[in-house]
């Protein structure tokens, strides 16, 4: 139960176990807080159920009881999911009769901070997509369907750039407590979910296809955040998405084929399960590695020290180096600029020439803002972009 302020702080849970630290956001489900678990000495995320909204303006006591019981059951089911790519659920507690989840706190930012307008490098797209698919496979093994896969429910950890899926089971809970429509986000909803049908594991795969489409093109398959939700649901049910390679150059045919298969209108025409998607992505990564090896056989670009296959690990380490240098020195430091150039070259030698050009382009624009369009660092960055464009 709520213990009240102590020295300007608030405590919730039995015996005031959890100290509320930061309000992280609000949504249809309720409020999310970063908190400290006094018993175990770790940071956690608390998700409070918006009981007043779900129960209605004049809640019936029996309905409130049923909502609480269902919330506890769904939390128990979702807590069975065990994967390094799914945020763990530790507990379910109560604050002044308002239930809340105690979850793993993920220090990072949502995937939607990385996608939009500009396509992601192919190696990063494959890495994050494969991790999402592995998380889905672990959940589906426990008969847990997410029902709201979208960039906002995929967190990218600051420490290692790995992803964590969040909010498993919450959409099924909302489905059971709301009668107007199925829970979900229209930009990423499967056709069957758009028809307010329960959906199954392959509904999650369709949503993953929408997220992957946005990674490789910069846009979801239909519309954007300003689009009419009704028009979006109609598009998911009736409109064929434009193939990614018709929107941007450099998407491997095998990656395009996987995305378009995930976006099949009929669930039976999608991959049979998430593990099949994991396998397909691994094959695409092997093709990218082979392409990178072939490029090295024709001579590496100046400044590149990439050697051997396994570019996913090398790129992850390079991205981590950039983030650490930014944290230590600031974004416009010479060491950061050099590290970003090395990351761009490594991306190109992995086989993602388009991604390398885009990384250099972004660096050139940043340097132009910081130092001016004629500065040597700006010119070096745009020269690197031109080198990869010509490649």
């Amino acid at each position: 139960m709520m213990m009240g302020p102590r020295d300007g702080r608030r405590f919730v849970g039995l015996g005031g176990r959890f100290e509320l630290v930061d309000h992280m956001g609000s949504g249809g489900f309720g409020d999310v807080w970063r908190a400290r678990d006094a018993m175990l000495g770790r940071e956690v995320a608390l998700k409070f159920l918006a009981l007043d909204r779900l129960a209605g303006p004049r809640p019936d006591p029996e309905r409130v009881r049923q909502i609480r019981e269902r919330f506890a059951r769904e939390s128990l089911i979702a807590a069975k999911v065990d994967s390094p790519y799914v945020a763990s659920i530790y507990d379910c507690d109560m604050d002044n009769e308002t239930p809340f989840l105690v979850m793993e706190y993920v220090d990072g930012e949502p995937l939607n901070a990385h996608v939009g307008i500009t396509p992601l490098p192919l190696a990063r797209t494959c890495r994050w997509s494969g991790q999402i698919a592995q998380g889905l496979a672990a959940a589906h093994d426990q008969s847990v369907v997410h029902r709201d896969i979208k960039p906002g429910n995929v967190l990218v950890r600051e420490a290692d750039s790995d992803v964590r899926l969040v909010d498993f089971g919450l959409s099924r809970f909302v489905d059971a407590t709301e009668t107007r429509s199925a829970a979900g986000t229209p930009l990423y909803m499967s056709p069957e979910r758009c028809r307010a049908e329960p959906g199954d594991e392959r509904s999650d795969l369709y949503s993953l296809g929408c997220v992957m489409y946005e990674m490789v093109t910069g846009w979801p398959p239909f519309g954007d955040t300003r689009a009419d939700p009704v028009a979006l649901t109609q598009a998911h049910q009736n409109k064929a998405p434009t193939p990614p390679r018709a929107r941007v150059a450099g998407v491997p045919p095998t990656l395009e084929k996987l995305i378009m298969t995930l976006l099949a209108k009929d669930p039976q025409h999608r991959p049979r399960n998430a593990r099949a998607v994991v396998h397909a992505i691994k094959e695409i990564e092997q093709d990218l590695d082979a392409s990178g090896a072939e490029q090295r056989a024709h001579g590496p670009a100046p400044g590149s020290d990439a050697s051997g296959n396994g570019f996913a690990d090398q790129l992850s380490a390079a991205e981590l180096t950039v983030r650490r240098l930014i944290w230590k020195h600031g974004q416009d430091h010479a060491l950061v600029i050099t590290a970003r150039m090395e990351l761009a070259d490594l991306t190109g030698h992995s086989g993602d020439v388009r991604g390398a050009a885009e990384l250099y382009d972004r660096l050139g624009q940043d340097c132009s803002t910081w130092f001016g369009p004629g500065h040597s660092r700006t010119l070096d960055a745009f020269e690197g972009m031109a080198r990869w464009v010509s490649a």
Side-chain angles (χ1 to χ4, degrees), residues 46-266:
L46 305 185
K47 289 181 176 286
F48 290 86
L49 177 65
L51 191 59
D52 53 348
R53 185 184 69 80
L54 294 171
R58 296 179 180 177
D60 174 66
E62 177 62 18
R63 175 168 169 75
V64 171
R65 183 188 65 79
Q66 292 175 353
I67 290 175
R68 287 199 186 105
E69 289 181 354
R70 179 169 287 277
F71 176 73
R73 289 198 303 271
E74 297 297 340
S75 301
L76 180 63
I77 293 171
K80 295 179 180 179
V81 180
D82 182 15
S83 168
Y85 307 117
V86 175
S88 299
I89 296 178
Y90 299 138
D91 204 350
C92 180
D93 209 329
M94 193 80 70
D95 167 45
N96 280 348
E97 313 233 332
T98 298
F100 64 89
L101 282 178
V102 183
M103 304 183 65
E104 173 189 358
Y105 171 69
V106 181
D107 185 12
E109 55 188 1
L111 180 60
N112 52 15
H114 296 262
V115 299
I117 309 300
T118 303
L120 293 182
L122 294 175
R124 195 183 314 172
T125 293
C126 290
R127 178 166 173 258
W128 286 347
S129 298
Q131 291 178 351
I132 295 171
Q134 289 183 62
L136 288 176
H140 296 167
D141 285 347
Q142 299 294 329
S143 299
V144 177
V145 181
H146 193 288
R147 292 184 170 86
D148 194 19
I149 293 295
K150 60 182 179 181
N153 280 336
V154 180
L155 302 182
V156 181
R157 277 172 41 102
E158 176 67 25
D160 54 17
S161 193
D162 283 345
V163 304
R164 294 289 189 279
L165 291 172
V166 298
D167 285 358
F168 263 100
L170 299 187
S171 290
R172 184 164 80 162
F173 168 74
V174 173
D175 275 357
T177 54
E178 303 236 31
T179 57
R180 295 186 300 275
S181 62
T185 305
L187 277 173
Y188 309 96
M189 286 177 72
S190 67
E192 58 272 22
R193 294 291 291 161
C194 290
R195 295 190 294 268
E197 297 173 5
D200 58 14
E201 289 87 350
R202 294 188 182 186
S203 300
D204 283 348
L205 299 186
Y206 181 94
S207 298
L208 171 58
C210 292
V211 174
M212 291 176 64
Y213 189 102
E214 187 170 5
M215 287 185 190
V216 300
T217 69
W219 298 89
F222 305 110
D224 55 29
T225 55
R226 297 166 296 180
D228 175 57
V230 175
L232 287 172
T233 59
Q234 290 296 319
H236 283 296
Q237 294 177 72
N238 303 312
K239 186 178 179 181
T242 302
R245 297 208 305 163
R247 301 190 71 165
V248 295
V251 179
T254 50
L255 179 56
E256 178 181 81
K257 180 180 179 181
L258 174 60
I259 293 173
M260 296 299 285
T261 304
L262 289 166
L263 294 178
K265 304 298 183 189
D266 185 345

Side-chain angles (χ1 to χ4, degrees), residues 364 366-379 382:
D366 287 342
C367 288
S368 180
T369 300
W370 297 329
F371 312 117
H375 195 277
S376 60
R377 291 175 182 169
T378 305
L379 298 177
F382 284 127

Side-chain angles (χ1 to χ4, degrees), residues 2-11:
M2 178 72 75
M3 302 298 292
R6 296 181 187 170
D7 300 327
R9 299 176 295 174
R10 290 199 300 163
F11 296 80

